[in-house]
Amino acid sequence: MQREKWKDFRLYVITAEANHPGRSLVDVMERTLIGGAQIVQLRNKTGSRAEVLEQARSLRALTRKYGVPFIINDYPDIVLETDADGVHLGQEDLPIGEARRLLGPDRMIGISTHSLDQALKAEREGADYIGVGPVYPTDTKPGRKAVTTSYVTEAARHVTIPFVAIGGITLGNVDRVLDAGARRICAVSAIVGSEDPAAACRSFLSRIEAADAAQAAKTITVNGREERTTAATVEELVRQLGQQNKQLVVELDGLIVQRALWAGTELKDGASVELVHFVGGG
Amino acid sequence: MIDAFEQDPLIIAGRELRSRFLFGTGRFPSPAVLQQALEASGAEVITFAVRRVNLESAEDDSVLQHFDGKRMAYLPNTSGARTAEEALRIARLAREAGLGNWIKVEISGDVRTLLPDPIETLRATEQLAREGFVVLPYTSDDPMLCRRLEEAGAAAVMPGGSPIGTGLGLLNPYNLGLIAEQAGVPVIVDAGIGSPKDAAEAMELGADGILANTPVAKAQDPVRMARAFKLAIEAGRLARLAGRIPKKKYASASSDLAGSLYEPAAAGRGGGAG
């Protein structure tokens, strides 16, 4: 695993065998990888250490095949033993500092947080990422009070390490979570409990991408008309507007942008753009 | 005689033009008619306007596509501008299109008459000339103003005969004559021309060229009218060069009276009982 590349993940999937009776853990998790899962966590709170170790070995082999980071909930020792990429901790598990001593500087340490205080503390203590949730009540963690999307918004504002929203997230509510400011989503039962985990992953990813596009969108004025656009540059805007085949001159905020500079000219929110050309006249 | 005409080029900012017709490209019934009319006109300078593109259409509806490959002098105008600043902006946009640095300054603050705003026109001319444009201002037919425009760096002055598109012809031939007489740069009569006779008249008054659009584009047969204008402009120019006779109050016979078979009629014969 490339140490920094993992930070690009958008969809984090956690095992939950109870959600797919009759289907094997490896089969279901392979389906999520086919669907585009970008981190896989093994979470088994009820099995014996031996059982967890065996599952960890299988999933390590599987995730390596797909080039996806593999995290184990708890069990830093199994992380080392199976050469997993990191550990995920709960608030009641061993402290981050302890886990870091056990795992060394290169493995990832993630921790579940339920408040901004916990999030900032985790950040200070050297966590690589945090879980933010449960956003909605979830059977995966019964009895835990939902933190709602307001904590997601707080985290988006104040947390600088990657955070992943988790807890009761489904295709039915993921848009609200993304709207609240989440960029990374973790779903458990909505994916592994689905008839088609690959399709579920793809659906989540497309919702995440759509949110990206919506967030990237800015309001600009084109020829006196307000427009929403995701175009990052003048070149992209001209193309998005279908005007690329015209001999036109572009003015951005009152200044002409020479054609050669279109691709390198950034379009900012609130920009005013004029696209002009020549028409008949005397 | 056509050869003589060709040896008498109109020179604007160092560019030699064999035609003294500046051709407006607006309001033609179709691109095909526009192209044929342009061909028939013999014009080497075409004018056009700068406008926002139609975002609803992906098709290239620019007027320029109809002139590909033709060796033309392009004269974009600043129509739509109400102030010097607006004209400057349009001029800079036009120059960015890469078709040269000629600009027809056209600034109007009045939608009904479209008459040029003299103050703004002068300001824009000064600034654009400073920025290296070849400036051809559309101006009122005021000799003093034309002089000031020339001093400000205009490459030609373009007084109107009458308001744009009216076809009223030359409302103040006296002024146009004065402007032509004094100008050190070419004088192009622009706007208000109704028919070829107006163009010929302007040329005889001493104009160096004619800019016309509506009387060609809106004629029943624009192609034929374009040719009529070409001929009238040539005729007017030749007449100017040839030197017309002075106007007289009374007749003078074309043949000498000596050897006439009859005595001349009594001059100034009074009527009634004498």
Side-chain angles (χ1 to χ4, degrees), chain A residues 222-225 227 241-243 245-251 254 256-259 274-282, chain B residues 24-26 47-59 61-64 77 89 92-93 96-97 99 104 213:
Chain A
V222 182
N223 286 0
R225 206 170 70 181
E227 301 259 358
L241 292 170
Q243 304 295 306
N245 295 326
K246 295 187 184 177
Q247 301 181 45
L248 43 81
V249 176
V250 174
E251 190 194 66
I256 292 165
V257 183
Q258 293 173 349
R259 185 146 210 157
E274 293 283 348
L275 306 179
V276 303
H277 68 163
F278 292 128
V279 301
Chain B
T25 57
T47 63
F48 36 81
V50 176
R51 289 291 181 270
R52 287 170 165 169
V53 298
N54 176 9
L55 295 172
E56 311 305 325
S57 151
E59 213 175 300
D61 45 5
S62 159
V63 70
L64 287 184
N77 67 39
R89 178 182 175 208
R92 291 169 189 149
L93 284 168
E96 189 53 34
L99 299 173
K104 168 180 164 179
N213 184 349

Side-chain angles (χ1 to χ4, degrees), chain A residues 2 20 30 35-36 43 55 81 87 93 99 111-112 138-139 144 205 215 231-232 241 245 251 274-275:
Chain A
Q2 293 151 289
H20 50 84
E30 178 150 30
R43 182 170 185 273
Q55 289 177 333
E81 198 171 335
V87 72
D93 296 330
I111 183 166
S112 301
T138 165
D139 291 342
R144 166 89 57 199
L205 283 167
Q215 274 174 16
L241 292 170
N245 295 326
E251 190 194 66
E274 293 283 348
L275 306 179

